[in-house]
Amino acid sequence: MGGDFGPSVVIPAAALSLIRHPDTHYIIFGQESEIRAHVSEDSPLAEVSKIVHTDIAVSMDEKPSQALRHGRWKSSMWLAIEAVKKGEAQVAVSAGNTGALMAMAKFCLRTLPGIDRPAIAALWPTLTSESVVLDVGANVGADARSLVDCAGMGAALARALFSVEKPSVGLLNIGAEEVKGLDEIKAASAALKNASLPIDYRGFIEGDDLGKGVVDVVVTDGFSGNIALKTAEGTAKQIGTYLRAAMNRSLLARIGAVLAQGAFQALRAKMDTRKMNGGMFLGLNGLVIKSHGGADSVGFASAIDLGYDMAASGLVENIRRDVERFHDALQTKPARALKAAAQ
Amino acid sequence: MGGDFGPSVVIPAAALSLIRHPDTHYIIFGQESEIRAHVSEDSPLAEVSKIVHTDIAVSMDEKPSQALRHGRWKSSMWLAIEAVKKGEAQVAVSAGNTGALMAMAKFCLRTLPGIDRPAIAALWPTLTSESVVLDVGANVGADARSLVDCAGMGAALARALFSVEKPSVGLLNIGAEEVKGLDEIKAASAALKNASLPIDYRGFIEGDDLGKGVVDVVVTDGFSGNIALKTAEGTAKQIGTYLRAAMNRSLLARIGAVLAQGAFQALRAKMDTRKMNGGMFLGLNGLVIKSHGGADSVGFASAIDLGYDMAASGLVENIRRDVERFHDALQTKPARALKAAAQ
């Protein structure tokens, strides 16, 4: 029921993702009549879907605490997350209120052993392929331990999605030199450098390295990560506007644009942020994905696809194991570094 | 002597800016023989320039404290800043080590009354025109007072550069709702909202608003500001690479690109970050501008042009006056909000 468009986007998206993954089953929570209006009686989607009615939906502007009070146990958002907890679903996908979704996911699924704060990971398109960037909005002002946990969780995700054994990891900072940046980031860097971990730790990276794809996993706190993500989206849109204006400024340019139509289509496909849609909640006892509230059905379907891949790879179990290895490795050596940061 | 290229970029840049501003005079500090190699004997630049020799130059990788120890009183960087203090120059422009430049500028020029921490401001190209964004790297983790000071200094700069009487100001945050974001940002927002200031305070903005140009002045702490700036630069480069690849993928696209040549040139001019070069140090008793270390002469000349406009507008005096008005206005009302944040 969430997002700017509700079932009118979510249902066609499910149908779209089902074509790519015919072994998917859906449980669709929400206002039954509204949902049924978008599911054709004898469609392939109807065959694999169960609709569970509820009148209650979390609105987009509710505060997390409000949403928990009024939507716990009974809202469509809660029921979708609870289905993951009960093992009825392997992943919950929602376009609803991010804060409420995270609050309910934490309350219902609980964090994995040893994880204090779940994170939201995003896929970032790069010149070489894609990177995992986390956190992009769950935690404002992370401490060293949260950053180190993000490195572990992000590495597990990269292993699942990119099939790399030892993912490369970088910490987002404002200078490659050791002297700069926040104390927490320095402490996290020292910890990652000193421990023998199943990652290839590459040190600090800067904002302009994100698009180059210099590492598989970029670790940052939720405030800077969210600003970086939205700034990149905004810049891409801005340049798209410049490009369209430039291609319309003369007859010759318009003719050129027609001839280069195929090239522009390829560029548009390359820059299509809908394919990168889906904030992955990591660090919980179950998988939850947040689709952009303004996503269309192509975008929401990408979020479902992502959930499919995450579930198929056994990600929760892998993160649990990896984070344990991380904590074991970190207890031996860099506990000092982490302690120093806490003081 | 600073930056990746030293006098080979700085001297041609000075000659370039001199064409646009024939009433400029230069004092050029550094290795005299190296400088003379780039200044033709009877050029217009030679006529308006004085070369002051020094053997000592701050290197790009020195820590600020090291640079202060070894370069104070005698390095080219120090002498350029000191010329501003003595009133011999109205602005110092350097492509050198940012941390060292800020440390020396603070030590030599001192901050304006009431300003705790100077900031670095950048011009951000937007769909409508340009915005001032600050801080982009001087202060990691700003408190509410620093953010409010940035609003005042940024507004004074916008008044000088954009000729607006009541600049619009936004605070960079990760959500437009009041519930999100850091306590310091919330406290700064409350202070700016409640006081009667000579600005048009518009509340929170997000990363994707930067390129839209929704406000004249964007206020943020130096960590997020630097990451936003570099992420936007990196994204622009990334899309440029995609565009070039797309235009080379078929014969038809190449023909189209030739026909649309003029359009691509206009686009390139629009995206030319060299014109936006120059980090403006604000909050000091004098003007200092940091050029990108990798800037070419066109880029460095933009930084000089910026310095010319700032000096011509009497910016230091305006900031001094505006910040006083700011502090007066803030003392009456939102002192509580600021105090609440400090607790």
Side-chain angles (χ1 to χ4, degrees):
Chain A
M1 302 305 291
D4 301 345
F5 310 108
S8 70
V9 151
V10 171
I11 308 296
L16 203 58
S17 182
L18 183 63
I19 298 170
R20 297 192 280 254
H21 304 292
D23 56 341
T24 318
H25 288 253
Y26 291 99
I27 318 174
I28 306 169
F29 298 91
Q31 195 56 256
E32 184 163 1
S33 57
E34 264 192 71
I35 295 167
R36 290 235 178 262
H38 297 279
V39 186
S40 337
E41 214 38 79
D42 47 3
S43 64
L45 180 64
E47 262 174 55
V48 300
S49 298
K50 193 175 102 184
I51 298 171
V52 178
H53 174 78
T54 173
D55 275 326
I56 297 167
V58 172
S59 74
M60 294 302 274
D61 53 2
E62 265 175 297
K63 289 188 186 177
S65 53
Q66 261 183 324
L68 263 183
R69 254 198 318 276
H70 126 255
R72 199 166 20 177
W73 320 126
K74 50 200 174 185
S75 66
S76 52
M77 186 183 273
W78 175 273
L79 294 172
I81 297 168
E82 206 182 28
V84 173
K85 192 187 182 185
K86 289 180 180 162
E88 294 167 2
Q90 285 176 278
V91 55
V93 185
S94 165
N97 180 326
T98 311
L101 189 66
M102 180 52 94
M104 286 195 186
K106 272 204 272 195
F107 192 94
C108 180
L109 298 172
R110 303 284 163 189
T111 55
L112 285 169
I115 297 288
D116 295 331
R117 308 206 272 181
I120 304 177
L123 282 182
W124 193 289
T126 71
L127 284 177
T128 53
S129 57
E130 291 162 7
S131 301
V132 165
V133 178
L134 76 169
D135 174 34
V136 295
N139 300 308
V140 162
D143 54 19
R145 189 194 161 105
S146 295
L147 291 169
V148 168
D149 284 346
C150 275
M153 296 192 291
L157 181 59
R159 235 171 257 127
L161 297 179
F162 311 149
S163 317
V164 284
E165 200 36 54
K166 209 174 174 180
S168 54
V169 175
L171 266 175
L172 191 59
N173 200 348
I174 66 169
E177 310 102 84
E178 295 276 347
V179 289
K180 285 185 189 172
L182 296 159
D183 290 344
E184 291 83 9
I185 299 177
K186 287 187 217 164
S189 184
L192 291 170
K193 203 175 286 167
N194 294 331
S196 68
L197 296 166
I199 59 166
D200 172 16
Y201 178 62
R202 300 273 182 88
F204 297 139
I205 67 156
E206 294 193 66
D208 50 346
D209 293 322
L210 279 162
K212 291 182 199 157
V214 294
V215 287
D216 296 317
V217 181
V218 177
V219 173
T220 177
D221 96 286
F223 192 80
S224 306
N226 188 283
I227 284 175
L229 187 69
K230 294 217 166 139
T231 301
E233 283 172 5
T235 305
K237 271 189 205 154
Q238 185 182 0
I239 295 173
T241 306
Y242 289 157
L243 183 59
R244 273 187 302 277
M247 286 302 151
N248 272 313
R249 66 193 279 281
S250 72
L251 181 63
L252 220 53
R254 279 195 293 273
I255 295 170
V258 170
L259 289 179
Q261 219 168 2
F264 281 114
Q265 265 159 16
L267 181 68
R268 215 172 290 130
K270 195 92 191 162
M271 286 174 60
D272 190 347
T273 50
R274 295 180 300 177
K275 290 187 202 151
M276 295 291 150
N277 182 38
M280 299 161 271
F281 290 10
L282 300 181
L284 298 162
N285 287 299
L287 297 175
V288 177
I289 293 187
K290 166 67 171 80
S291 159
H292 200 290
D296 62 9
S297 53
V298 172
F300 197 92
S302 300
I304 301 176
D305 291 346
L306 208 53
Y308 183 96
D309 289 342
M310 288 166 75
S313 73
L315 185 65
V316 174
E317 215 24 74
N318 290 341
I319 290 184
R320 192 198 309 272
R321 194 200 55 219
D322 283 11
V323 166
E324 249 169 51
R325 280 162 74 187
F326 245 67
H327 286 168
D328 286 349
L330 289 172
Q331 259 152 27
T332 53
K333 262 204 166 178
R336 264 166 296 136
L338 285 172
K339 225 178 269 168
Q343 278 165 4
Chain B
M1 303 304 291
D4 301 344
F5 310 109
S8 71
V9 151
V10 170
I11 308 297
L16 204 57
S17 181
L18 183 63
I19 299 170
R20 296 192 282 254
H21 303 291
D23 56 341
T24 318
H25 288 253
Y26 290 99
I27 317 174
I28 306 169
F29 298 92
Q31 195 56 257
E32 183 163 1
S33 58
E34 263 192 72
I35 295 167
R36 291 233 177 264
H38 296 279
V39 186
S40 337
E41 212 43 73
D42 48 3
S43 63
L45 181 65
E47 260 174 56
V48 301
S49 298
K50 194 175 102 183
I51 298 171
V52 178
H53 173 80
T54 173
D55 274 326
I56 297 167
V58 172
S59 74
M60 293 302 273
D61 54 2
E62 263 174 297
K63 289 188 188 180
S65 53
Q66 261 182 326
L68 262 182
R69 254 198 319 276
H70 128 254
R72 197 167 20 178
W73 322 125
K74 49 201 174 184
S75 66
S76 51
M77 187 183 272
W78 175 272
L79 294 172
I81 297 168
E82 206 183 27
V84 173
K85 189 186 183 185
K86 289 181 181 163
E88 294 167 2
Q90 287 175 275
V91 56
V93 185
S94 166
N97 181 328
T98 310
L101 189 66
M102 181 52 94
M104 285 195 186
K106 272 204 272 196
F107 191 94
C108 180
L109 298 173
R110 302 284 164 190
T111 54
L112 285 169
I115 296 287
D116 295 333
R117 309 207 269 181
I120 304 177
L123 282 183
W124 193 288
T126 71
L127 284 177
T128 53
S129 57
E130 291 162 6
S131 300
V132 166
V133 178
L134 76 170
D135 173 36
V136 295
N139 300 307
V140 163
D143 53 19
R145 191 195 159 104
S146 296
L147 292 171
V148 168
D149 285 346
C150 276
M153 297 191 292
L157 182 59
R159 236 171 256 128
L161 297 178
F162 310 149
S163 316
V164 284
E165 200 36 55
K166 208 172 175 181
S168 54
V169 175
L171 267 174
L172 192 61
N173 201 348
I174 65 168
E177 310 103 86
E178 295 276 347
V179 289
K180 287 185 186 171
L182 296 159
D183 291 344
E184 292 82 10
I185 299 177
K186 287 188 217 166
S189 183
L192 292 170
K193 202 175 287 170
N194 294 329
S196 67
L197 296 165
I199 59 166
D200 172 15
Y201 178 61
R202 300 273 183 88
F204 297 140
I205 68 159
E206 294 193 67
D208 51 348
D209 294 322
L210 280 162
K212 292 182 199 158
V214 295
V215 287
D216 297 316
V217 180
V218 176
V219 173
T220 177
D221 96 285
F223 191 80
S224 306
N226 188 284
I227 284 176
L229 187 70
K230 294 215 165 139
T231 301
E233 282 172 5
T235 305
K237 271 189 204 152
Q238 185 181 358
I239 295 174
T241 305
Y242 289 158
L243 183 58
R244 273 188 301 277
M247 287 301 149
N248 272 314
R249 67 194 278 280
S250 72
L251 181 62
L252 220 52
R254 279 195 293 273
I255 295 170
V258 170
L259 289 179
Q261 219 168 2
F264 282 115
Q265 264 159 16
L267 181 69
R268 214 172 289 128
K270 195 91 192 162
M271 286 175 58
D272 190 347
T273 51
R274 295 181 301 178
K275 289 187 202 151
M276 295 289 149
N277 182 37
M280 300 162 270
F281 289 11
L282 300 182
L284 298 162
N285 288 298
L287 297 175
V288 177
I289 293 187
K290 165 69 171 77
S291 159
H292 201 292
D296 62 9
S297 53
V298 172
F300 197 92
S302 300
I304 302 176
D305 292 346
L306 208 53
Y308 183 94
D309 289 342
M310 287 166 77
S313 73
L315 186 65
V316 174
E317 215 24 73
N318 290 342
I319 290 185
R320 192 197 309 270
R321 195 202 53 218
D322 283 10
V323 166
E324 248 169 52
R325 279 162 75 185
F326 247 66
H327 286 168
D328 287 348
L330 288 172
Q331 260 153 24
T332 53
K333 262 204 165 177
R336 263 166 297 137
L338 285 170
K339 224 177 269 167
Q343 278 165 6

